[in-house]
Coordinates of all heavy atoms in Angstrom, one line a residue:
M86 N 18.2 -7.8 19.1 CA 17.3 -7.0 18.3 C 15.9 -7.5 18.5 O 15.6 -8.7 18.6 CB 17.6 -7.2 16.8 CG 18.8 -6.5 16.3 SD 18.5 -4.7 15.9 CE 17.4 -4.8 14.5
T87 N 15.0 -6.6 18.5 CA 13.6 -6.9 18.6 C 12.8 -6.3 17.4 O 13.3 -5.3 16.8 CB 12.9 -6.5 19.9 OG1 13.0 -5.0 20.0 CG2 13.6 -7.1 21.1
S88 N 11.7 -6.9 17.1 CA 10.8 -6.4 16.1 C 9.4 -6.2 16.7 O 9.1 -6.9 17.6 CB 10.8 -7.3 14.9 OG 12.1 -7.4 14.3
I89 N 8.6 -5.4 16.0 CA 7.2 -5.3 16.4 C 6.3 -6.2 15.6 O 6.4 -6.3 14.4 CB 6.8 -3.8 16.2 CG1 7.6 -2.8 17.0 CG2 5.3 -3.6 16.5 CD1 7.3 -2.7 18.4
I90 N 5.4 -6.9 16.3 CA 4.4 -7.6 15.7 C 3.1 -6.9 16.0 O 2.8 -6.6 17.2 CB 4.3 -9.1 16.2 CG1 5.6 -9.8 16.1 CG2 3.2 -9.8 15.4 CD1 5.7 -11.1 16.8
Q91 N 2.2 -6.7 15.0 CA 0.9 -6.1 15.3 C -0.2 -7.2 15.2 O -0.3 -7.8 14.1 CB 0.6 -5.0 14.3 CG 1.7 -3.9 14.2 CD 1.4 -2.8 13.3 OE1 0.6 -1.9 13.6 NE2 1.9 -2.9 12.1
F92 N -0.9 -7.4 16.2 CA -2.0 -8.3 16.2 C -3.3 -7.6 16.2 O -3.6 -6.8 17.1 CB -1.9 -9.2 17.5 CG -0.8 -10.1 17.6 CD1 0.4 -9.7 18.3 CD2 -0.8 -11.4 17.1 CE1 1.5 -10.5 18.4 CE2 0.3 -12.2 17.2 CZ 1.4 -11.8 17.9
R93 N -4.1 -7.9 15.1 CA -5.4 -7.3 15.1 C -6.4 -8.4 15.7 O -6.5 -9.5 15.2 CB -5.9 -7.0 13.7 CG -7.3 -6.4 13.6 CD -7.6 -6.0 12.1 NE -6.7 -5.0 11.6 CZ -6.8 -3.7 11.9 NH1 -7.8 -3.2 12.6 NH2 -5.9 -2.8 11.4
I94 N -6.9 -8.1 16.8 CA -7.8 -9.0 17.5 C -9.2 -8.9 17.0 O -9.6 -7.9 16.4 CB -7.6 -8.9 19.0 CG1 -8.1 -7.6 19.6 CG2 -6.2 -9.2 19.4 CD1 -8.0 -7.5 21.1
P95 N -10.1 -9.8 17.3 CA -11.4 -9.8 16.7 C -12.3 -8.6 17.0 O -13.2 -8.2 16.3 CB -12.1 -11.1 17.3 CG -10.9 -12.0 17.5 CD -9.8 -11.2 17.9
T96 N -12.0 -7.8 18.1 CA -12.7 -6.6 18.4 C -12.3 -5.5 17.4 O -12.9 -4.4 17.4 CB -12.4 -6.1 19.8 OG1 -11.0 -5.9 19.9 CG2 -12.8 -7.1 20.8
G97 N -11.2 -5.7 16.6 CA -10.7 -4.7 15.7 C -9.5 -3.9 16.3 O -8.9 -3.2 15.6
E98 N -9.3 -4.1 17.6 CA -8.2 -3.4 18.2 C -6.9 -4.0 17.7 O -6.8 -5.2 17.5 CB -8.3 -3.7 19.7 CG -7.2 -3.1 20.6 CD -7.3 -3.6 22.0 OE1 -8.3 -4.2 22.4 OE2 -6.3 -3.5 22.7
V99 N -5.8 -3.2 17.6 CA -4.5 -3.7 17.2 C -3.6 -3.6 18.4 O -3.5 -2.5 19.0 CB -3.9 -2.9 16.0 CG1 -2.5 -3.3 15.7 CG2 -4.8 -3.0 14.8
R100 N -3.0 -4.7 18.7 CA -2.1 -4.7 19.9 C -0.6 -5.0 19.3 O -0.4 -5.9 18.5 CB -2.4 -5.9 20.8 CG -3.8 -5.6 21.5 CD -3.9 -6.3 22.8 NE -5.2 -6.2 23.3 CZ -5.7 -7.0 24.2 NH1 -5.0 -8.0 24.7 NH2 -7.0 -6.9 24.6
K101 N 0.3 -4.1 19.8 CA 1.7 -4.3 19.3 C 2.5 -5.0 20.4 O 2.4 -4.7 21.6 CB 2.2 -2.9 19.1 CG 1.6 -2.2 17.9 CD 2.2 -0.8 17.6 CE 1.4 -0.2 16.5 NZ 1.9 1.1 16.1
V102 N 3.3 -5.9 19.9 CA 4.1 -6.8 20.8 C 5.5 -6.7 20.3 O 5.8 -6.9 19.1 CB 3.5 -8.2 20.8 CG1 4.4 -9.2 21.5 CG2 2.1 -8.3 21.4
D103 N 6.4 -6.6 21.2 CA 7.9 -6.7 20.9 C 8.3 -8.1 20.9 O 8.0 -8.9 21.8 CB 8.7 -6.0 22.0 CG 9.1 -4.6 21.7 OD1 9.2 -4.3 20.5 OD2 9.3 -3.8 22.6
A104 N 9.0 -8.6 19.8 CA 9.4 -9.9 19.7 C 10.9 -9.9 19.4 O 11.4 -9.2 18.6 CB 8.7 -10.7 18.7
A105 N 11.6 -10.8 20.1 CA 13.1 -11.0 19.8 C 13.2 -11.7 18.5 O 12.4 -12.6 18.1 CB 13.7 -11.8 20.9
D106 N 14.3 -11.3 17.7 CA 14.5 -12.0 16.5 C 14.8 -13.5 16.8 O 15.4 -13.8 17.8 CB 15.8 -11.4 15.8 CG 15.5 -10.0 15.3 OD1 14.3 -9.7 15.1 OD2 16.4 -9.3 15.1
G107 N 14.2 -14.3 16.0 CA 14.3 -15.8 16.2 C 13.1 -16.3 17.0 O 12.9 -17.5 16.9
E108 N 12.4 -15.5 17.7 CA 11.2 -15.9 18.4 C 10.1 -16.2 17.4 O 10.0 -15.5 16.4 CB 10.8 -14.8 19.4 CG 9.7 -15.2 20.4 CD 9.5 -14.1 21.4 OE1 9.8 -12.9 21.2 OE2 8.8 -14.4 22.4
T109 N 9.2 -17.1 17.7 CA 8.0 -17.2 16.8 C 6.9 -16.3 17.2 O 6.8 -15.8 18.3 CB 7.5 -18.7 16.9 OG1 6.9 -18.9 18.2 CG2 8.5 -19.7 16.5
V110 N 6.1 -16.0 16.2 CA 4.9 -15.1 16.4 C 4.0 -15.7 17.5 O 3.5 -15.0 18.3 CB 4.2 -14.8 15.1 CG1 2.9 -14.0 15.3 CG2 5.1 -14.1 14.1
M111 N 3.9 -17.0 17.5 CA 3.0 -17.7 18.5 C 3.6 -17.4 19.9 O 2.8 -17.0 20.8 CB 3.0 -19.2 18.2 CG 2.1 -20.0 19.2 SD 3.0 -20.6 20.6 CE 3.9 -22.0 20.0
R112 N 4.9 -17.6 20.1 CA 5.5 -17.3 21.5 C 5.3 -15.9 21.9 O 5.0 -15.6 23.1 CB 6.9 -17.7 21.5 CG 7.2 -19.1 21.4 CD 7.0 -19.8 22.7 NE 7.1 -21.3 22.5 CZ 6.4 -22.2 23.3 NH1 5.7 -21.8 24.2 NH2 6.6 -23.4 23.1
A113 N 5.5 -15.0 21.0 CA 5.3 -13.5 21.3 C 3.9 -13.3 21.7 O 3.6 -12.5 22.6 CB 5.7 -12.7 20.1
A114 N 2.9 -13.9 21.0 CA 1.5 -13.7 21.3 C 1.2 -14.2 22.7 O 0.5 -13.6 23.5 CB 0.6 -14.4 20.3
L115 N 1.7 -15.4 23.0 CA 1.4 -16.0 24.3 C 2.0 -15.1 25.5 O 1.4 -15.0 26.5 CB 2.0 -17.4 24.4 CG 1.4 -18.5 23.6 CD1 1.9 -19.8 24.0 CD2 -0.2 -18.4 23.7
S116 N 3.2 -14.5 25.2 CA 3.9 -13.8 26.2 C 3.0 -12.5 26.6 O 3.2 -12.0 27.7 CB 5.3 -13.4 25.8 OG 5.2 -12.3 24.8
Q117 N 2.2 -12.1 25.7 CA 1.4 -10.9 26.0 C -0.1 -11.2 26.0 O -0.9 -10.3 25.9 CB 1.6 -9.8 24.9 CG 3.1 -9.4 24.9 CD 3.5 -8.7 26.1 OE1 2.8 -7.9 26.7 NE2 4.7 -9.0 26.6
D118 N -0.5 -12.5 26.2 CA -1.9 -12.9 26.3 C -2.7 -12.3 25.2 O -3.8 -11.8 25.4 CB -2.4 -12.4 27.6 CG -1.9 -13.2 28.8 OD1 -1.5 -14.4 28.6 OD2 -1.7 -12.7 29.9
I119 N -2.3 -12.5 23.9 CA -3.1 -12.0 22.8 C -4.3 -13.0 22.7 O -4.2 -14.2 22.6 CB -2.3 -12.0 21.5 CG1 -1.2 -11.1 21.6 CG2 -3.2 -11.7 20.3 CD1 -1.5 -9.6 21.7
P120 N -5.6 -12.5 22.8 CA -6.7 -13.3 22.8 C -6.8 -14.1 21.5 O -6.6 -13.6 20.4 CB -7.9 -12.4 22.9 CG -7.4 -11.0 23.1 CD -5.9 -11.0 22.9
G121 N -7.2 -15.4 21.6 CA -7.4 -16.2 20.4 C -6.2 -17.0 19.9 O -6.3 -17.8 19.0
I122 N -5.0 -16.7 20.5 CA -3.8 -17.5 20.2 C -3.6 -18.4 21.4 O -3.3 -17.9 22.4 CB -2.6 -16.6 19.9 CG1 -2.8 -15.6 18.8 CG2 -1.4 -17.5 19.6 CD1 -2.9 -16.1 17.4
V123 N -3.7 -19.7 21.2 CA -3.6 -20.6 22.3 C -2.3 -21.4 22.2 O -1.6 -21.5 23.3 CB -4.8 -21.6 22.2 CG1 -4.7 -22.7 23.4 CG2 -6.1 -20.9 22.3
G124 N -1.9 -21.8 21.1 CA -0.6 -22.5 20.9 C -0.5 -23.7 21.7 O 0.5 -24.1 22.4
E125 N -1.6 -24.5 21.7 CA -1.8 -25.7 22.6 C -0.6 -26.7 22.4 O -0.2 -27.3 23.4 CB -3.1 -26.3 22.2 CG -3.6 -27.3 23.2 CD -5.0 -27.7 22.8 OE1 -5.9 -26.8 22.8 OE2 -5.2 -28.9 22.6
C126 N -0.2 -26.9 21.2 CA 0.8 -28.0 21.0 C 2.3 -27.5 21.2 O 3.2 -28.2 21.0 CB 0.6 -28.7 19.7 SG 1.2 -27.7 18.3
G127 N 2.4 -26.2 21.5 CA 3.7 -25.7 21.7 C 4.6 -25.5 20.4 O 5.8 -25.4 20.5
G128 N 3.9 -25.5 19.3 CA 4.6 -25.3 18.0 C 5.0 -26.6 17.3 O 5.8 -26.6 16.4
E129 N 4.3 -27.7 17.7 CA 4.6 -29.0 17.0 C 3.8 -29.3 15.8 O 3.8 -30.4 15.3 CB 4.4 -30.1 18.1 CG 5.3 -30.0 19.3 CD 6.8 -30.2 18.9 OE1 7.1 -31.0 18.1 OE2 7.6 -29.4 19.5
L130 N 3.0 -28.3 15.4 CA 2.1 -28.5 14.2 C 1.1 -29.6 14.4 O 0.8 -30.4 13.5 CB 3.0 -28.8 13.0 CG 3.6 -27.6 12.2 CD1 4.4 -28.0 11.0 CD2 2.5 -26.6 11.8
T131 N 0.5 -29.7 15.6 CA -0.5 -30.7 15.8 C -1.9 -30.1 16.3 O -2.8 -30.8 16.6 CB -0.1 -31.8 16.7 OG1 0.3 -31.2 18.0 CG2 1.1 -32.6 16.2
C132 N -1.9 -28.7 16.4 CA -3.2 -28.2 17.0 C -3.9 -27.1 16.2 O -5.1 -27.0 16.2 CB -2.9 -27.7 18.4 SG -2.0 -26.1 18.4
A133 N -3.2 -26.3 15.5 CA -3.7 -25.2 14.7 C -4.4 -24.2 15.5 O -5.2 -23.4 15.0 CB -4.6 -25.7 13.6
T134 N -4.1 -24.1 16.8 CA -4.7 -23.1 17.7 C -3.9 -21.8 17.7 O -4.0 -20.9 18.5 CB -4.9 -23.6 19.1 OG1 -3.6 -23.9 19.7 CG2 -5.8 -24.8 19.2
C135 N -3.0 -21.7 16.7 CA -2.2 -20.5 16.5 C -2.5 -19.9 15.1 O -1.6 -19.2 14.6 CB -0.7 -20.9 16.6 SG -0.2 -22.1 15.4
H136 N -3.7 -20.2 14.6 CA -4.0 -19.8 13.2 C -4.2 -18.2 13.2 O -4.8 -17.7 14.0 CB -5.3 -20.4 12.8 CG -5.9 -20.0 11.5 ND1 -7.2 -20.0 11.2 CD2 -5.3 -19.6 10.4 CE1 -7.4 -19.6 10.0 NE2 -6.2 -19.3 9.4
V137 N -3.6 -17.6 12.2 CA -3.7 -16.2 11.9 C -3.9 -16.0 10.4 O -3.6 -16.8 9.6 CB -2.5 -15.4 12.4 CG1 -2.4 -15.4 13.9 CG2 -1.2 -15.8 11.7
H138 N -4.5 -14.8 10.1 CA -4.6 -14.3 8.7 C -3.5 -13.2 8.6 O -3.6 -12.2 9.3 CB -6.0 -13.8 8.4 CG -7.0 -14.8 8.5 ND1 -8.3 -14.5 8.9 CD2 -7.0 -16.1 8.2 CE1 -9.1 -15.6 8.8 NE2 -8.3 -16.6 8.5
V139 N -2.5 -13.4 7.8 CA -1.5 -12.5 7.6 C -1.9 -11.4 6.6 O -2.4 -11.7 5.6 CB -0.2 -13.2 7.2 CG1 1.0 -12.2 7.1 CG2 0.2 -14.3 8.1
T140 N -1.7 -10.1 6.9 CA -2.0 -9.1 6.0 C -1.2 -9.4 4.7 O -0.1 -9.7 4.7 CB -1.5 -7.7 6.6 OG1 -2.0 -7.6 7.9 CG2 -1.9 -6.6 5.7
P141 N -1.9 -9.2 3.5 CA -1.3 -9.7 2.2 C 0.1 -9.2 2.0 O 0.9 -9.9 1.5 CB -2.3 -9.1 1.2 CG -3.6 -9.1 1.9 CD -3.3 -8.8 3.3
E142 N 0.4 -7.9 2.2 CA 1.7 -7.4 1.9 C 2.8 -8.1 2.7 O 3.9 -8.2 2.3 CB 1.8 -5.9 2.0 CG 1.4 -5.3 3.3 CD -0.1 -4.9 3.3 OE1 -0.9 -5.6 2.7 OE2 -0.4 -3.9 4.0
W143 N 2.4 -8.5 3.9 CA 3.4 -9.3 4.7 C 3.4 -10.7 4.4 O 4.5 -11.4 4.4 CB 3.1 -9.1 6.2 CG 3.4 -7.7 6.7 CD1 2.5 -6.7 7.0 CD2 4.7 -7.2 7.0 NE1 3.1 -5.6 7.4 CE2 4.5 -5.8 7.4 CE3 6.0 -7.7 6.9 CZ2 5.5 -5.0 7.7 CZ3 7.0 -6.8 7.2 CH2 6.8 -5.5 7.6
F144 N 2.3 -11.3 4.0 CA 2.2 -12.7 3.7 C 3.2 -13.1 2.6 O 3.9 -14.1 2.7 CB 0.8 -13.0 3.1 CG 0.6 -14.5 2.9 CD1 0.1 -15.3 3.9 CD2 0.8 -15.0 1.6 CE1 -0.1 -16.6 3.7 CE2 0.6 -16.4 1.4 CZ 0.1 -17.2 2.4
D145 N 3.4 -12.2 1.6 CA 4.3 -12.5 0.5 C 5.8 -12.5 0.9 O 6.6 -13.0 0.2 CB 4.1 -11.5 -0.6 CG 2.7 -11.6 -1.3 OD1 2.1 -12.6 -1.1 OD2 2.3 -10.6 -1.9
Q146 N 6.1 -12.0 2.1 CA 7.5 -11.9 2.5 C 7.8 -13.1 3.4 O 9.0 -13.3 3.8 CB 7.7 -10.7 3.4 CG 7.5 -9.4 2.5 CD 8.0 -8.2 3.3 OE1 9.0 -8.2 4.0 NE2 7.3 -7.1 3.1
L147 N 6.9 -14.0 3.7 CA 7.1 -15.1 4.5 C 7.7 -16.3 3.7 O 7.4 -16.4 2.5 CB 5.9 -15.6 5.2 CG 5.2 -14.5 6.1 CD1 3.9 -15.1 6.7 CD2 6.1 -14.1 7.2
E148 N 8.5 -17.1 4.4 CA 8.9 -18.4 3.8 C 7.6 -19.2 3.5 O 6.7 -19.1 4.4 CB 9.8 -19.2 4.7 CG 11.1 -18.5 5.1 CD 12.0 -18.6 3.9 OE1 12.0 -19.6 3.1 OE2 12.7 -17.6 3.6
P149 N 7.5 -19.9 2.5 CA 6.3 -20.7 2.2 C 6.0 -21.7 3.3 O 7.0 -22.2 4.0 CB 6.6 -21.4 0.9 CG 7.7 -20.7 0.3 CD 8.5 -20.1 1.4
A150 N 4.7 -22.0 3.5 CA 4.4 -23.0 4.5 C 4.9 -24.4 4.1 O 5.0 -24.7 2.9 CB 2.9 -23.1 4.6
S151 N 5.3 -25.2 5.1 CA 5.8 -26.6 4.8 C 4.6 -27.4 4.5 O 3.4 -27.0 4.7 CB 6.5 -27.1 6.0 OG 5.6 -27.3 7.1
G152 N 4.9 -28.6 4.0 CA 3.8 -29.6 3.7 C 3.0 -29.9 5.0 O 1.8 -30.0 4.9
D153 N 3.7 -30.0 6.1 CA 3.0 -30.4 7.3 C 2.1 -29.2 7.8 O 0.9 -29.4 8.2 CB 4.0 -30.7 8.5 CG 4.6 -32.0 8.3 OD1 4.1 -32.8 7.5 OD2 5.7 -32.2 8.9
E154 N 2.5 -28.0 7.6 CA 1.7 -26.8 7.9 C 0.5 -26.8 7.0 O -0.6 -26.5 7.4 CB 2.5 -25.5 7.9 CG 1.7 -24.3 8.3 CD 2.4 -23.0 8.2 OE1 3.6 -23.0 8.1 OE2 1.7 -21.9 8.4
E155 N 0.7 -27.0 5.7 CA -0.4 -27.0 4.7 C -1.5 -28.0 5.2 O -2.7 -27.8 5.1 CB 0.1 -27.3 3.3 CG 0.8 -26.2 2.6 CD -0.2 -25.1 2.3 OE1 -1.4 -25.3 2.2 OE2 0.3 -24.0 2.1
D156 N -1.0 -29.2 5.6 CA -1.9 -30.3 6.0 C -2.8 -29.8 7.1 O -4.0 -30.1 7.2 CB -1.2 -31.5 6.4 CG -0.6 -32.2 5.2 OD1 -0.9 -31.9 4.1 OD2 0.3 -33.1 5.5
M157 N -2.2 -29.1 8.1 CA -3.0 -28.6 9.2 C -4.0 -27.5 8.8 O -5.1 -27.4 9.2 CB -2.1 -28.0 10.3 CG -1.3 -29.1 11.0 SD -2.3 -30.3 11.9 CE -3.1 -29.3 13.1
L158 N -3.5 -26.6 7.9 CA -4.3 -25.5 7.5 C -5.6 -26.0 6.7 O -6.6 -25.4 6.8 CB -3.5 -24.5 6.6 CG -2.5 -23.7 7.3 CD1 -1.5 -23.0 6.2 CD2 -3.1 -22.6 8.1
E159 N -5.4 -27.1 6.0 CA -6.5 -27.6 5.2 C -7.7 -27.9 5.9 O -8.8 -27.8 5.4 CB -6.0 -28.9 4.5 CG -5.7 -28.7 3.0 CD -5.1 -29.9 2.4 OE1 -5.5 -31.0 2.8 OE2 -4.2 -29.7 1.6
V160 N -7.6 -28.3 7.2 CA -8.8 -28.7 8.0 C -9.5 -27.5 8.6 O -10.5 -27.7 9.2 CB -8.4 -29.7 9.1 CG1 -7.7 -30.9 8.4 CG2 -7.5 -29.1 10.1
L161 N -9.0 -26.3 8.5 CA -9.6 -25.1 9.1 C -10.8 -24.6 8.3 O -10.6 -24.4 7.1 CB -8.6 -24.0 9.3 CG -7.4 -24.4 10.3 CD1 -6.4 -23.3 10.2 CD2 -7.9 -24.6 11.7
D162 N -11.9 -24.3 9.0 CA -13.1 -23.8 8.3 C -12.8 -22.3 7.8 O -13.4 -21.9 6.8 CB -14.3 -23.8 9.2 CG -14.8 -25.2 9.5 OD1 -14.5 -26.1 8.7 OD2 -15.4 -25.3 10.6
D163 N -12.0 -21.6 8.6 CA -11.9 -20.2 8.4 C -10.5 -19.9 7.7 O -10.0 -18.8 7.8 CB -12.0 -19.3 9.6 CG -11.2 -19.9 10.8 OD1 -10.5 -20.9 10.6 OD2 -11.2 -19.3 11.9
R164 N -10.0 -20.9 7.0 CA -8.8 -20.7 6.2 C -9.0 -19.7 5.1 O -10.1 -19.7 4.4 CB -8.3 -22.0 5.6 CG -7.0 -21.8 4.9 CD -6.5 -23.0 4.2 NE -5.2 -22.7 3.7 CZ -4.4 -23.6 3.0 NH1 -4.8 -24.8 2.9 NH2 -3.2 -23.2 2.6
T165 N -8.1 -18.8 4.9 CA -8.1 -18.0 3.7 C -6.8 -18.2 3.0 O -5.9 -18.9 3.4 CB -8.2 -16.5 4.1 OG1 -7.0 -16.0 4.6 CG2 -9.4 -16.2 5.0
E166 N -6.6 -17.5 1.8 CA -5.3 -17.6 1.1 C -4.2 -17.0 1.9 O -3.0 -17.2 1.5 CB -5.5 -17.0 -0.3 CG -5.8 -15.5 -0.3 CD -5.9 -14.9 -1.6 OE1 -5.1 -15.3 -2.5 OE2 -6.8 -14.1 -1.8
H167 N -4.5 -16.3 2.9 CA -3.4 -15.6 3.7 C -3.3 -16.3 5.1 O -2.7 -15.7 6.0 CB -3.6 -14.1 3.8 CG -3.6 -13.5 2.5 ND1 -4.6 -12.8 1.9 CD2 -2.6 -13.5 1.5 CE1 -4.3 -12.3 0.7 NE2 -3.1 -12.8 0.4
S168 N -3.8 -17.5 5.2 CA -3.7 -18.1 6.5 C -2.3 -18.7 6.8 O -1.7 -19.3 5.8 CB -4.7 -19.3 6.6 OG -6.0 -18.9 6.7
R169 N -1.9 -18.6 8.0 CA -0.7 -19.3 8.4 C -0.8 -19.7 9.9 O -1.7 -19.2 10.6 CB 0.6 -18.4 8.4 CG 1.0 -18.0 7.0 CD 1.4 -19.2 6.1 NE 2.6 -19.9 6.7 CZ 3.8 -19.7 6.3 NH1 4.2 -18.8 5.4 NH2 4.8 -20.5 6.9
L170 N 0.0 -20.7 10.3 CA 0.1 -21.1 11.7 C 1.2 -20.3 12.2 O 2.4 -20.4 11.8 CB 0.3 -22.6 11.8 CG -0.9 -23.4 11.3 CD1 -0.6 -24.9 11.4 CD2 -2.2 -23.1 11.9
C171 N 1.0 -19.4 13.2 CA 2.0 -18.5 13.6 C 3.1 -19.1 14.4 O 4.1 -18.4 14.7 CB 1.4 -17.2 14.2 SG 0.7 -17.4 15.8
C172 N 3.0 -20.3 14.8 CA 4.1 -21.0 15.5 C 5.2 -21.3 14.4 O 6.3 -21.6 14.8 CB 3.7 -22.3 16.2 SG 3.1 -23.6 15.1
Q173 N 4.9 -21.1 13.2 CA 5.9 -21.4 12.1 C 6.4 -20.1 11.5 O 7.2 -20.2 10.6 CB 5.2 -22.2 11.0 CG 4.6 -23.6 11.5 CD 5.6 -24.5 12.1 OE1 6.6 -24.8 11.5 NE2 5.4 -24.8 13.4
I174 N 6.1 -19.0 12.1 CA 6.6 -17.7 11.6 C 7.6 -17.2 12.6 O 7.3 -16.9 13.7 CB 5.5 -16.6 11.4 CG1 4.4 -17.1 10.5 CG2 6.1 -15.3 10.9 CD1 3.2 -16.2 10.4
R175 N 8.9 -17.2 12.2 CA 10.0 -16.8 13.0 C 10.4 -15.4 12.7 O 10.5 -15.1 11.5 CB 11.2 -17.8 12.8 CG 11.9 -18.0 14.1 CD 12.9 -19.2 13.9 NE 12.3 -20.5 14.3 CZ 12.1 -20.9 15.5 NH1 12.4 -20.1 16.5 NH2 11.5 -22.0 15.8
I176 N 10.4 -14.6 13.7 CA 10.7 -13.2 13.5 C 12.1 -12.9 13.1 O 13.1 -13.4 13.6 CB 10.4 -12.4 14.8 CG1 8.9 -12.4 15.0 CG2 10.9 -10.9 14.7 CD1 8.1 -11.7 13.9
T177 N 12.3 -12.1 12.0 CA 13.6 -11.6 11.5 C 13.4 -10.1 11.4 O 12.3 -9.6 11.4 CB 13.9 -12.2 10.2 OG1 13.0 -11.7 9.2 CG2 13.9 -13.7 10.2
P178 N 14.6 -9.4 11.3 CA 14.4 -7.9 11.1 C 13.6 -7.5 10.0 O 12.9 -6.5 10.0 CB 15.9 -7.5 11.0 CG 16.7 -8.5 11.7 CD 16.0 -9.8 11.4
D179 N 13.5 -8.3 8.9 CA 12.7 -8.0 7.7 C 11.2 -8.0 8.1 O 10.4 -7.4 7.3 CB 12.9 -9.0 6.6 CG 14.3 -8.9 6.0 OD1 15.0 -7.9 6.3 OD2 14.6 -9.8 5.2
L180 N 10.9 -8.6 9.1 CA 9.4 -8.7 9.5 C 9.0 -7.7 10.5 O 7.9 -7.8 11.0 CB 9.1 -10.2 10.0 CG 9.3 -11.3 8.9 CD1 9.0 -12.6 9.5 CD2 8.5 -11.0 7.7
D181 N 9.9 -6.7 10.8 CA 9.5 -5.7 11.8 C 8.3 -5.0 11.3 O 8.3 -4.4 10.2 CB 10.7 -4.7 11.9 CG 10.5 -3.7 13.0 OD1 9.7 -4.0 13.9 OD2 11.1 -2.7 13.0
G182 N 7.2 -5.0 12.1 CA 6.0 -4.3 11.8 C 4.9 -5.2 11.2 O 3.8 -4.8 10.9
I183 N 5.2 -6.5 11.1 CA 4.3 -7.5 10.5 C 2.9 -7.4 11.2 O 2.8 -7.2 12.4 CB 4.8 -8.9 10.5 CG1 3.9 -9.9 9.8 CG2 5.1 -9.4 11.9 CD1 4.5 -11.3 9.6
E184 N 1.9 -7.4 10.4 CA 0.5 -7.4 10.9 C -0.2 -8.7 10.6 O -0.2 -9.2 9.5 CB -0.3 -6.2 10.4 CG -1.6 -6.1 11.0 CD -2.4 -4.9 10.5 OE1 -1.8 -3.9 10.1 OE2 -3.7 -5.0 10.6
V185 N -0.8 -9.3 11.7 CA -1.6 -10.5 11.5 C -2.9 -10.3 12.2 O -3.0 -9.6 13.2 CB -0.8 -11.7 12.1 CG1 0.5 -11.9 11.5 CG2 -0.7 -11.7 13.6
A186 N -3.9 -10.9 11.7 CA -5.3 -10.8 12.3 C -5.6 -12.2 12.9 O -5.3 -13.2 12.3 CB -6.3 -10.5 11.3
V187 N -6.1 -12.1 14.1 CA -6.5 -13.3 14.8 C -8.0 -13.6 14.4 O -8.9 -12.8 14.7 CB -6.4 -13.2 16.4 CG1 -6.8 -14.5 17.1 CG2 -5.0 -12.7 16.8
P188 N -8.3 -14.8 13.8 CA -9.7 -15.0 13.4 C -10.6 -15.2 14.6 O -10.1 -15.6 15.7 CB -9.6 -16.4 12.7 CG -8.1 -16.7 12.5 CD -7.4 -15.9 13.5
E189 N -11.9 -14.9 14.4 CA -12.8 -15.2 15.5 C -13.0 -16.7 15.6 O -13.0 -17.4 14.6 CB -14.2 -14.5 15.1 CG -14.1 -13.0 15.3 CD -15.5 -12.4 15.4 OE1 -16.4 -12.9 16.1 OE2 -15.7 -11.5 14.6
H190 N -13.2 -17.2 16.8 CA -13.4 -18.6 17.0 C -14.7 -18.9 17.5 O -15.2 -18.1 18.3 CB -12.3 -19.2 17.9 CG -10.9 -19.1 17.3 ND1 -10.6 -19.9 16.2 CD2 -9.9 -18.4 17.6 CE1 -9.3 -19.6 15.9 NE2 -8.9 -18.7 16.7
Ligands
FES295 S1 1.0 -24.0 18.2 FE1 0.1 -25.9 17.5 S2 0.2 -25.8 15.4 FE2 1.0 -23.9 16.0

């Protein structure tokens, strides 16, 4: 099964990417060269180069961030109440259509 992830990039354009269930949003972004998602640490929660702002209606459907993710989010200048590190968001059928915005860096 695959689900659609919608990435709103800083130009305002929305790019749709197919992601396999179980894949992280970060991996899906890298596979399609979504600008602004670097994923430097490979999902080890040490870089925060996978920061996104999740659309509020989708944010509430995510598993809460772990303590380690919270620690990384805390140091970001452009953190909002809907910030997540997208290497920690694993796609499930319930998340089909999820929209995330890539902050300007
Ligand atoms: S890829 Fe490094 S924290 Fe997400």
